[in-house]
Amino acid sequence: MIYLKTPEEMAIIQANGEILGKCHAEVAKAIQPGVTTLALDKIAYEFIKDNGAHPSFLNYQVGNKKYAYSLCISVNDVVVHGLPGALVLQEGDIISIDAGVYKNKFHADSAYTYGIGNVAAEVQKLMQVTKESLYLGLNQAQAGKRVGDVGNAVQVYTESLGYGVVRELVGHGVGKSLHESPEVPNYGRRGDGAKLKEGMVIAIEPMINLGKRQISVDKDGWTIRTIDRKASAHFEHTVGVTAAGPKALTTFAYIEEVLKTSTVLLNI
């Protein structure tokens, strides 16, 4: 079932998106060679709790598994769901940070991919194109259009440049549950899929690979990698469908303020 949100409920999600954007910025300040991914997770947990909220991912249940961290941290060939741990970040890595905030009975969800120092030019381009594809998809989130219009915008742009669009992982509705209907693939045909209606809130999250689109899952049951071990990038906004058009309820503004003054992170 697709749950439509009132303007007041959408405002709660946007307020959570503000906390989430500021959380991403605090994590961004710490991203540099020599830092462990677990240290970044601790920063996020403390920031979210200090703001009276709960990390959406912490203790998230999938089957008989619970996710034990506040962030999904995916480095280089990891597409999504990378587990924070002892991994030490290196010069030239790219790192996707995916996070959620739960407060006042609603979730907000967003992701951003960072480059550390001297990142290969082809990987920089992948990051740029993936971020651009997010906004192309977002612009299609209009009442009367369909989910397929969102996915088609992402797919046509990224595949035209030779990238692989992950099929097995998709965006989703967001609200009182972190994952609601409808599913929002990053591929599809215009005019297909669920009809977008005023009051819908969806997470649009392109996951785009430098090489082949296929993925594999590590033995931990969480970490998802590109099958050819080439880099993958991931950007995500929670988006409201409103009478005035698509509205990003999460923000990258705080992240990008950090990137402007950082000598370590790539500002794309």
Side-chain angles (χ1 to χ4, degrees):
M1 181 178 290
I2 296 173
Y3 297 98
L4 302 182
K5 281 70 178 178
T6 66
E8 293 76 16
E9 290 171 335
M10 214 175 276
I12 292 171
I13 296 172
Q14 186 170 19
N16 292 345
E18 282 285 303
I19 296 172
L20 181 53
K22 292 175 181 178
C23 175
H24 272 289
E26 288 302 305
V27 174
K29 292 173 186 176
I31 296 174
Q32 60 183 311
V35 172
T36 67
T37 54
L38 188 60
L40 300 179
D41 188 75
K42 182 179 179 182
I43 291 168
Y45 174 81
E46 291 178 350
F47 184 89
I48 293 169
K49 286 296 187 181
D50 285 348
N51 280 271
H54 180 75
S56 296
F57 299 174
L58 184 62
N59 296 322
Y60 186 81
Q61 186 103 21
V62 178
N64 62 356
K65 301 183 300 180
K66 277 189 177 181
Y67 194 77
Y69 306 97
S70 300
L71 300 178
C72 293
I73 303 182
S74 305
V75 180
N76 295 332
D77 65 321
V78 178
V79 180
V80 286
H81 303 166
L83 302 176
L87 178 68
V88 176
L89 299 177
Q90 306 289 334
E91 174 83 10
D93 284 344
I94 65 168
I95 172 173
S96 168
I97 303 288
D98 191 359
V101 160
Y102 179 75
K103 187 175 182 179
N104 295 326
K105 300 182 180 180
F106 285 90
H107 294 270
D109 188 7
S110 70
Y112 199 96
T113 301
Y114 306 84
I116 303 178
N118 187 24
V119 174
E122 64 176 0
V123 179
Q124 291 185 45
K125 180 68 172 178
L126 168 70
M127 294 164 63
Q128 176 185 332
V129 167
T130 303
K131 187 179 179 185
E132 290 169 350
S133 76
L134 167 61
Y135 289 99
L136 292 172
L138 187 156
N139 288 338
Q140 295 298 312
Q142 302 174 30
K145 292 205 171 192
R146 293 187 178 269
V147 165
D149 296 313
V150 175
N152 181 263
V154 173
Q155 180 183 13
V156 168
Y157 181 57
T158 55
E159 287 188 348
S160 73
L161 296 170
Y163 298 114
V165 179
V166 174
R167 302 289 201 276
E168 296 85 351
L169 303 157
V170 297
H172 50 90
V174 182
K176 290 186 176 180
S177 297
L178 179 60
H179 296 103
E180 297 183 352
S181 295
E183 291 190 342
V184 184
N186 296 304
Y187 62 94
R189 295 190 302 179
R190 287 183 295 176
D192 279 359
K195 192 172 186 177
L196 298 173
K197 298 179 181 179
E198 184 180 343
M200 289 175 65
V201 175
I202 58 176
I204 301 173
E205 50 178 321
M207 291 158 273
I208 308 300
N209 298 343
L210 183 62
K212 296 178 180 178
R213 66 173 180 84
Q214 289 83 4
I215 58 174
S216 64
V217 183
D218 284 5
K219 291 181 180 179
D220 61 28
W222 290 105
T223 307
I224 297 176
R225 298 181 186 272
T226 59
I227 198 167
D228 57 11
R229 300 301 186 256
K230 291 185 178 181
S232 185
H234 178 208
F235 288 86
E236 176 185 18
H237 271 314
T238 298
V239 180
V241 181
T242 78
K247 182 177 183 179
L249 303 178
T250 48
T251 177
F252 294 158
Y254 301 108
I255 297 169
E256 289 167 356
E257 279 300 309
V258 172
L259 298 187
K260 285 179 185 177
T261 59
S262 173
T263 58
V264 176
L265 304 179
L266 279 171
N267 183 10
I268 62 166

